[in-house]
C-alpha cells in the first residue's frame, strides 16, 4: 500500500491527467515564459498538496499527470493553476499582455481524465465477487 497517500481522514491514490491550451492556441509558451509557467504550476500544486507525476509545457498547451487529494476537485485545481499563472505571466511579461487582451492567457476549458493502477474491468470483477444479491449493476448485501 506504499503507493497510497494519507490525509487526516482518507487514504487515496487519485491520478488525474489534465490538458489545457492557450487562448486561440497562440504559441507563446517558450523560453523564459515556459520556464516561469512551469515554476508557477509547481508552486500552485505544492501549495495545494498536489504531486506532479509528469508534466510538459508545449508551445500552446500544458499536459500534467498529478496525484491529488480527495478534498480538492479537478475544477478547483484548474481554476487555481489557470488563474494564478495567467495573472502572474501577464504581469511579468509585457509581450504576453500585447497578444492577449482581457487578461486571458488560457482558453476557457480543459481536458481531464482519471488514471490509476486498476482498470474498470478489475473493479467490476471485484464488486461482482462480493457476497451480494444481484439487482441490475448496483447490488446490495442481504441482511
Amino acid at each position: 500500500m506504499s503507493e497510497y497517500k494519507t490525509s487526516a481522514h482518507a487514504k487515496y491514490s487519485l491520478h488525474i491527467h489534465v490538458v489545457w491550451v492557450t487562448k486561440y492556441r497562440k504559441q507563446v509558451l517558450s523560453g523564459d515564459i515556459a520556464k516561469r509557467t512551469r515554476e508557477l504550476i509547481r508552486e500552485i500544486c505544492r501549495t495545494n498538496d498536489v504531486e506532479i507525476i509528469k508534466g510538459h509545457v508545449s508551445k500552446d498547451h500544458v499536459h500534467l499527470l498529478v496525484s491529488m487529494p480527495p478534498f480538492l476537485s479537478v475544477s478547483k485545481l484548474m481554476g487555481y493553476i489557470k488563474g494564478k499563472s495567467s495573472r502572474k505571466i501577464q504581469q511579468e511579461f509585457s509581450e504576453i499582455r500585447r497578444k492577449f487582451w482581457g487578461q486571458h492567457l488560457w482558453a476557457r476549458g480543459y481536458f481531464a481524465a482519471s488514471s490509476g493502477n486498476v482498470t474498470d474491468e478489475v473493479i467490476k470483477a471485484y464488486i461482482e465477487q462480493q457476497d451480494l444479491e444481484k439487482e441490475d449493476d448496483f447490488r446490495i448485501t442481504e441482511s
Side-chain angles (χ1 to χ4, degrees), residues 28-38 89 93 95-96:
V28 296
L29 302 175
S30 60
D32 290 339
I33 296 171
K35 288 177 185 171
R36 183 64 175 140
T37 301
R38 182 180 62 186
I89 294 292
F93 298 95
E95 64 269 24
I96 292 290

Side-chain angles (χ1 to χ4, degrees), residues 73-90:
S73 69
V74 176
S75 62
K76 276 278 191 212
L77 176 64
M78 292 309 299
Y80 295 151
I81 290 174
K82 290 171 70 175
K84 185 172 183 178
S85 64
S86 177
R87 187 173 45 82
K88 291 274 193 182
I89 294 292
Q90 290 188 56

Side-chain angles (χ1 to χ4, degrees), residues 123-135:
I123 295 170
K124 287 177 191 174
Y126 173 76
I127 293 171
E128 193 70 33
Q129 293 170 5
Q130 300 301 304
D131 182 26
L132 305 170
E133 178 185 54
K134 185 164 183 142
E135 287 183 13

Side-chain angles (χ1 to χ4, degrees), residues 20 33-57 62-67 72 77 80-82 84-85 88-89 106:
W20 66 98
I33 296 171
K35 288 177 185 171
R36 183 64 175 140
T37 301
R38 182 180 62 186
E39 287 173 12
L40 289 167
I41 292 169
R42 283 179 171 162
E43 176 186 313
I44 295 161
C45 286
R46 191 172 34 254
T47 301
N48 291 286
D49 296 325
V50 174
E51 177 193 353
I52 298 173
I53 298 168
K54 205 64 141 167
H56 182 255
V57 177
V62 178
H63 277 271
L64 279 183
L65 177 61
V66 296
S67 172
L72 180 65
L77 176 64
Y80 295 151
I81 290 174
K82 290 171 70 175
K84 185 172 183 178
S85 64
K88 291 274 193 182
I89 294 292
W106 306 112

Side-chain angles (χ1 to χ4, degrees), residues 102-121:
Q103 299 179 336
H104 298 286
L105 170 62
W106 306 112
R108 286 178 65 182
Y110 58 88
F111 166 82
S114 59
S115 168
N117 296 333
V118 181
T119 64
D120 290 344
E121 287 74 29

Side-chain angles (χ1 to χ4, degrees), residues 89-99:
I89 294 292
Q90 290 188 56
Q91 283 176 350
E92 296 173 15
F93 298 95
S94 59
E95 64 269 24
I96 292 290
R97 264 195 314 264
R98 281 185 236 118
K99 291 182 182 183

